[in-house]
């Protein structure tokens, strides 16, 4: 690929990701300061901050001297894994809450997260970059690439299956609307994750051009940031479905946290409560 085209494309996607991440940081801070906050908001804040830092280092790599090649690559690789691990944790935490903090589900999710973490550590040890003839050559360790990409897919797939399996019986309850929305949300997110990670695997095994690989990483991190920050829209939509009574139905929402921040028990016969962790009350 023509090197003159690489810089504009990389700057475009990383710049767009920086804007998305900054907007996510500001939104999370605003909601945290205006309410009592929740774990979901803290995770949104932390993950967006990692996206922001990763893109800054990515852009720094473009203009850095060859003397900084190896160092910046290690930093970028670390931040890249920290960002995706934070995103995986965010998805699995939502699943755990939706599954009413089931110990069995928690153990399964923890195993998947540790598997992903192990591949991240392997990749950070085995992958490196060295300056060659004035070019910073990135040497990706192939097994770890497959390992952590499959690990991302596994984390999301497991979270989706567990959250749907543990709440399937709620689709016939009075709160069917909110569960139908959560069902669609999980399926859509899993489809996006699968598409992004499949694209990631294909790109790294079919593209021998280092410039194209650099663009691929920039595109993937942009898509991840968009996927993460749809949560703000989803929170609003969940509130709207839950709290907006229809002409035929008027009820007081039961998905709330008490003054201590703990989830209050719902009335007998109602759907299980998810508390402020999901709806950010």
């Amino acid at each position: 690929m023509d090197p003159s085209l690489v810089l504009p494309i990389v700057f475009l996607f990383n710049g767009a990701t920086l804007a998305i991440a900054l907007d996510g940081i500001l939104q999370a801070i605003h909601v945290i300061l205006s309410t009592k906050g929740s774990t979901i908001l803290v995770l949104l804040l932390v993950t967006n901050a990692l996206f922001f830092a990763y893109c800054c280092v990515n852009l720094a790599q473009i203009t850095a001297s060859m003397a900084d090649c190896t160092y910046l690559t290690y930093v970028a690789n670390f931040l890249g894994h920290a960002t995706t691990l934070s995103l995986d944790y965010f998805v699995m935490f939502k699943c755990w809450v939706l599954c009413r903090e089931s110990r069995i589900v928690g153990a399964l999710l923890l195993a998947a997260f540790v598997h992903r973490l192990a591949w991240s550590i392997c990749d950070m040890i085995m992958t490196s970059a060295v300056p060659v003839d004035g070019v910073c050559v990135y040497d990706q360790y192939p097994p770890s690439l497959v390992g952590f990409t499959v690990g991302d897919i596994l984390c999301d797939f497991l979270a989706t299956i567990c959250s749907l399996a543990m709440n399937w019986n709620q689709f016939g309850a009075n709160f069917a609307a909110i569960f139908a929305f959560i069902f669609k949300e999980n399926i859509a997110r899993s489809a996006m994750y699968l598409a992004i990670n499949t694209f990631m695997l294909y790109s790294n095994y079919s593209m021998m051009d280092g410039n194209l690989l650099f663009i691929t990483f920039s595109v993937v991190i942009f898509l991840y940031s968009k996927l993460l920050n749809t949560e703000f829209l989803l929170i609003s939509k969940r509130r709207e479905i839950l709290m907006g009574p229809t002409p035929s139905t008027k009820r007081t929402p039961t998905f709330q946290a008490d003054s201590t921040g703990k989830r209050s028990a719902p009335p007998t016969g109602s759907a299980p409560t998810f508390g402020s962790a999901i709806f950010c009350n």
Side-chain angles (χ1 to χ4, degrees):
M1 183 175 185
D2 186 352
S4 64
L5 299 176
V6 176
L7 289 183
I9 296 174
V10 170
F11 269 111
L12 174 65
F13 280 102
N14 279 273
T17 305
L18 281 173
I20 293 169
L22 181 59
D23 181 65
I25 291 170
L26 295 176
Q27 284 195 69
I29 291 175
H30 172 73
V31 179
I32 289 172
L33 292 178
S34 59
T35 66
K36 60 189 171 186
S38 72
T39 304
I40 284 290
L41 290 170
V42 173
L43 289 173
L44 282 169
L45 177 60
V46 170
T47 308
N48 273 302
L50 288 169
F51 271 118
F52 191 88
Y54 176 69
C55 287
C56 286
V57 174
N58 246 1
L59 294 175
Q61 284 183 291
I62 297 174
T63 57
S65 65
M66 287 300 102
D68 298 323
C69 165
T70 303
Y71 167 72
L72 282 177
T73 298
Y74 278 124
V75 174
N77 199 23
F78 170 79
L79 287 173
H81 284 294
T83 301
T84 50
L85 282 168
S86 182
L87 184 60
D88 288 335
Y89 185 84
F90 169 81
V91 170
M92 290 190 289
F93 177 79
K94 283 178 60 181
C95 166
W96 183 61
V97 174
L98 282 169
C99 295
R100 297 173 293 286
E101 302 179 7
S102 164
R103 291 185 178 182
I104 295 176
V105 171
L108 291 173
L109 295 176
L110 179 60
F113 186 79
V114 170
H115 168 264
R116 174 61 173 86
L117 177 62
W119 279 114
S120 296
I121 294 172
C122 174
D123 187 66
M124 286 186 282
I125 293 172
M126 301 301 296
T127 297
S128 62
V130 292
V132 178
D133 297 328
V135 178
C136 189
V137 179
Y138 187 76
D139 183 20
Q140 172 67 58
Y141 183 56
S144 63
L145 171 67
V146 176
F148 70 70
T149 304
V150 172
D152 285 329
I153 296 173
L154 177 63
C155 286
D156 183 74
F157 179 77
L158 187 61
T160 300
I161 293 299
C162 287
S163 59
L164 295 180
M166 292 290 288
N167 293 287
W168 190 259
N169 62 330
Q170 299 299 328
F171 283 96
N174 292 331
F175 281 75
I178 189 63
F179 284 99
F181 180 75
I182 292 172
F183 177 86
K184 294 175 184 177
E185 173 190 331
N186 277 275
I187 295 300
R189 188 194 65 239
S190 289
M192 284 289 291
Y193 256 98
L194 182 61
I196 292 171
N197 285 294
T198 301
F199 170 67
M200 182 85 163
L201 281 175
Y202 170 78
S203 298
N204 280 276
Y205 275 97
S206 64
M207 298 179 186
M208 302 305 294
D209 190 331
N211 289 327
L212 286 175
L213 289 179
F214 197 18
I215 291 174
T216 297
F217 281 118
S218 299
V219 171
V220 167
I221 208 69
F222 166 77
L223 294 174
Y224 274 156
S225 66
K226 291 288 288 183
L227 191 61
L228 171 71
N229 285 287
T230 55
E231 184 65 20
F232 291 107
L233 178 62
L234 295 174
I235 288 171
S236 299
K237 185 63 178 176
R238 292 184 207 117
R239 283 176 175 169
E240 180 184 332
I241 293 173
L242 188 66
M243 303 186 72
T246 63
S248 60
T249 310
K250 291 186 179 180
R251 62 167 59 87
T252 302
T254 60
F255 299 128
Q256 297 183 10
D258 60 25
S259 59
T260 65
K262 297 180 179 178
R263 284 182 297 281
S264 55
T268 303
S270 65
T273 178
F274 300 144
S276 60
I278 296 297
F279 296 96
C280 299
N281 292 330

